């Protein structure tokens, strides 16, 4: 069986986010609060 290795580059921001410890206060806030509505509110700006 042949296995195809595919290298995928994560974005710069994903790499930075992964470096932040899981118990960091900003990650805890991010997991507790959904701010996705802000994108809709600012879409026309």
């Amino acid at each position: 069986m042949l296995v195809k290795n595919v290298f995928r580059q994560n974005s710069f921001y994903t790499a930075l986010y992964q470096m932040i410890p899981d118990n960091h206060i900003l990650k805890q806030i991010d997991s507790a609060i959904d701010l996705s509505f802000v994108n809709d509110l600012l879409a026309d700006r």
Side-chain angles (χ1 to χ4, degrees):
M1 174 167 53
L2 295 175
V3 177
K4 184 177 180 180
N5 291 330
V6 177
F7 176 74
R8 294 187 180 172
Q9 178 70 36
N10 288 335
S11 74
F12 177 71
Y13 298 106
T14 302
L16 284 178
Y17 189 79
Q18 291 173 348
M19 295 174 65
I20 301 170
D22 289 335
N23 63 348
H24 191 277
I25 186 69
L26 292 178
K27 271 197 172 178
Q28 292 174 0
I29 292 170
D30 185 45
S31 67
I33 299 174
D34 180 20
L35 296 174
S36 61
F37 69 93
V38 175
N39 291 330
D40 295 333
L41 292 175
L42 299 176
D44 61 343
R45 309 250 186 265

